[in-house]
Amino acid sequence: MRLYGGEPSRWRGAVYSDQTRSLGITMPANLTPAYHAAEQRYRAARTLEERIAALQEMLAVIPKHKGTEHLRGDLRARLARLLDELEQPPPGKRGAASPWSIRKEGAGRAVLVGPPNSGKSALLARLTGAGARVAAYPFTTEVPQPGILRVGGARIQLIDTPPLVAGHSEPALYGLLRTADVLVPVLDLGADPAAQLGELRAAVGTRHLALLAPGDTASSDGVSAKRAVIAATKADLPGAADALAELTAAAGSLPVVSVSAESGAGLDALSEAIFQALGVIRVFTKAPGREPDRDDPVVLPAGSTVLDFAAALHRGWEKRLKYALLWGASGRFAGQRVAKEHVLADGDAVELHG
């Protein structure tokens, strides 16, 4: 991008698209102060996560018209490269890698986010067995801590994060939130969780992030909407029921699951809600004459077919597949013969025949 001088004052400060210039068209980008502020943050960024957060903001606030087509394409390409680098840190750099650069694994990534001392680390420990530091004082967690949550055989990456405090959180935290498939706001039923939810929404909103109920469609242009499931912690405290009612009203369509890391109440329901929010299904393999293998499902996007299952199971299966036998909710009866195009449901067991 070049800045051209000598133009009328109403165009001064505009960035012009190489594409429109090559066509002999002079078209101003009319970039806003919000865009320039995000661009300054990008230029000043020191870490990968800070650059990602700034690029996301630039894309969110950039005007959408012909004059910015080339610039938007360039920003999207840069963002894609940085996200790939963040999500898949190159091998051989383990010692120098940022603690915020966590390799994705499992069926999806769910990130615990919330204010200080809301119970995020205790939840991670109970749900995954990961060795998170748990203490009664705030700011115990200084860097992200990953673990693996198992739900019906599916493996979900669950990450604990440092506290989200408006104006005082690590910038890299927002970069990590953008890589999440599901956000799990962790709110304390003993500390006005409805107000905590409002503060969290405002904090992520400053970085053009929003919480989206599973099944809803994002409507705000330029905002990265993340599916969310709220974990209302410390359900065994006095007055928790009243606080839960207030939180549920404030949450609107967002699902709220009441849990206690101390007693274990609600943990199974929270695990299932996180899985459902991912928008995936578990499909189990079955060998002829044997029971289905229920320990290691193939996890596929909802709406996947028998052919998708075969391709995910083993390279080459999709080419020699003739039909399949099916046991599960998507069939009319056990052992039904189905075609390649048959759409599968969560929990189906499939026996492939070539």
Side-chain angles (χ1 to χ4, degrees), residues 77 90 218 225 260 287 290 302 337:
S260 169
R290 298 183 182 178
R337 177 168 171 160

Side-chain angles (χ1 to χ4, degrees), residues 221-238:
D221 186 36
V223 174
S224 178
K226 294 291 181 180
R227 287 169 288 182
V229 175
I230 296 174
T233 60
K234 307 179 186 179
D236 41 11
L237 290 178

Side-chain angles (χ1 to χ4, degrees), residues 7-28:
E7 299 293 344
S9 60
R10 63 187 175 89
W11 288 11
R12 195 165 295 141
V15 176
Y16 293 83
S17 160
D18 291 339
Q19 179 183 8
T20 55
R21 209 166 52 240
S22 68
L23 296 174
I25 301 170
T26 305
M27 184 175 292

